[in-house]
Amino acid sequence: MAGIVLALGGGGARGLAQIGVLQVLAENGISVRAVAGTSIGAEIGAFVACGLPVAEIVEMATAFDWKLTMQLFLPDLPTGGLVSGKRILKWLKDKLGEDTAIERLAVPYVAVATNLETGEEVVIDHGPITDAVRASISLPGTLAPHRLGKRVLVDGGVVNPVPFDVARQRFGGPVVAVAVHSGAQAWEPRRPRRRRREWKERVHQLLAEAWMKGAPDMRGGLEAQAEALGASEAEADVWSARLVLERTLHISGMQLVRLRAAVQPPDLTLVPDVRDIGTLEFFRAKEAIEAGRAEAEAKLEELLRLASQGA
């Protein structure tokens, strides 16, 4: 069967670049015959596997403004993370369907998560697709773990940031990986002062929303966030505990990808330039999508060649 197997990786909002890749594939008649995804890649892959047109996925992504992003990720003080994920799970069910089962999808699909108790990679290949996605996107420290049966699952990026090896083992080849995690390209420090000012303004705007009066817990969390973002310019440039943790996770993810690629590499890796997009900056979807398009168009000849080979 002609077509390619996609391995879509994690990277938060950077992962929206994968939608730009999908656009180029669709425009050039390159079919996706299976998908393996980690984190945001599991989410975007789920939309593909459910048969959503690429134009609809683009519309969904670009509809995210900063207010909607913050509402989905508002702290609600659960166990195991800043965000319980209840609002995110509801959003996923609205988009993917309440009872859509992986084994009945139009396009074969698996999502990768991590067993928090054993440290093992978990490849989810059956059951409700919303549970698979919710487990795979459970970024440690931000989104609470997701229970699936007796297992407590967190983000698949902990063990497999770009699951090209899983894609090949489950679906054969040719495998095209899309790497959007930090560390896929040379790291460059982002501009903390400008970003901190922008987010402080947005937090204050959200606090002014009328509906916030009925959400005292959320309001308290946001007020604390606004206070933290009001740190001096000098403090904004230091290596905070959060930045140290984030950068450490990026380094370990980069090493995991290199080690896995040495054993079972993909046939082609696309690396969109999304270094300047923050993990939760989903409101920058247009920029991310354009970066994905640019990378796929640059590698189009190779993509066409691989697609013609089939399985």
Side-chain angles (χ1 to χ4, degrees), residues 52-92:
L52 269 71
V54 176
E56 190 172 333
I57 300 174
V58 171
E59 183 179 354
M60 193 187 312
T62 54
F64 266 77
D65 59 12
W66 66 268
K67 286 186 180 180
L68 180 54
T69 301
M70 292 194 73
Q71 287 177 31
L72 286 176
F73 287 93
L74 276 175
D76 51 2
L77 307 179
T79 300
L82 293 174
V83 182
S84 69
K86 292 178 181 178
R87 291 183 293 270
I88 294 172
L89 186 58
K90 181 182 183 302
W91 184 86
L92 288 170

Side-chain angles (χ1 to χ4, degrees), residues 169-209:
Q169 291 160 13
R170 291 300 182 106
F171 308 121
V175 175
V176 175
V178 187
V180 290
H181 62 289
S182 291
Q185 293 179 319
W187 184 71
E188 294 179 0
R190 295 171 65 229
R191 297 180 287 281
R193 292 175 178 169
R194 177 174 64 81
R195 292 291 167 78
R196 288 170 72 92
R197 285 195 296 269
E198 288 176 358
W199 278 103
K200 183 181 178 182
E201 291 171 3
R202 287 167 178 153
V203 169
H204 281 296
Q205 288 177 40
L206 194 58
L207 283 168
E209 294 281 325

Side-chain angles (χ1 to χ4, degrees), residues 118-201:
T118 67
E120 294 175 315
E121 175 181 273
V122 176
V123 180
I124 307 172
D125 57 6
H126 64 279
I129 194 168
T130 50
D131 276 325
V133 173
R134 173 61 183 82
S136 189
I137 65 174
S138 301
L139 183 65
T142 298
L143 192 57
H146 187 63
R147 289 188 176 273
L148 201 54
K150 295 182 179 180
R151 297 176 298 188
V152 180
L153 304 179
V154 294
D155 198 300
V158 173
V159 292
N160 198 342
V162 190
F164 43 78
D165 49 352
V166 171
R168 191 179 300 282
Q169 291 160 13
R170 291 300 182 106
F171 308 121
V175 175
V176 175
V178 187
V180 290
H181 62 289
S182 291
Q185 293 179 319
W187 184 71
E188 294 179 0
R190 295 171 65 229
R191 297 180 287 281
R193 292 175 178 169
R194 177 174 64 81
R195 292 291 167 78
R196 288 170 72 92
R197 285 195 296 269
E198 288 176 358
W199 278 103
K200 183 181 178 182
E201 291 171 3

Side-chain angles (χ1 to χ4, degrees), residues 127-309:
I129 194 168
T130 50
D131 276 325
V133 173
R134 173 61 183 82
S136 189
I137 65 174
S138 301
L139 183 65
T142 298
L143 192 57
H146 187 63
R147 289 188 176 273
L148 201 54
K150 295 182 179 180
R151 297 176 298 188
V152 180
L153 304 179
V154 294
D155 198 300
V158 173
V159 292
N160 198 342
V162 190
F164 43 78
D165 49 352
V166 171
R168 191 179 300 282
Q169 291 160 13
R170 291 300 182 106
F171 308 121
V175 175
V176 175
V178 187
V180 290
H181 62 289
S182 291
Q185 293 179 319
W187 184 71
E188 294 179 0
R190 295 171 65 229
R191 297 180 287 281
R193 292 175 178 169
R194 177 174 64 81
R195 292 291 167 78
R196 288 170 72 92
R197 285 195 296 269
E198 288 176 358
W199 278 103
K200 183 181 178 182
E201 291 171 3
R202 287 167 178 153
V203 169
H204 281 296
Q205 288 177 40
L206 194 58
L207 283 168
E209 294 281 325
W211 63 269
M212 284 297 299
K213 294 179 181 178
D217 290 341
M218 293 182 187
R219 186 175 184 85
L222 280 173
E223 287 173 344
Q225 186 178 10
E227 183 178 349
L229 289 168
S232 69
E233 293 285 296
E235 290 173 328
D237 283 334
V238 303
W239 282 88
S240 65
R242 181 199 60 78
L243 190 56
V244 169
L245 176 60
E246 182 178 317
R247 183 60 188 147
T248 302
L249 289 172
H250 293 166
I251 292 170
S252 62
M254 177 176 58
Q255 295 301 328
L256 279 170
V257 171
R258 288 177 177 172
L259 289 169
R260 287 178 176 269
V263 176
Q264 196 169 45
D267 295 283
L268 177 65
T269 301
L270 304 179
V271 187
D273 189 354
V274 286
R275 285 172 288 186
D276 193 46
I277 295 178
T279 302
L280 297 182
E281 293 182 335
F282 292 97
F283 52 86
R284 299 179 67 188
K286 291 182 180 178
E287 295 173 59
I289 290 170
E290 282 304 312
R293 285 191 62 90
E295 176 68 359
E297 287 170 350
K299 305 285 179 58
L300 181 56
E301 185 176 340
E302 183 70 1
L303 284 166
L304 289 167
R305 184 185 67 79
L306 288 172
S308 68
Q309 294 178 0

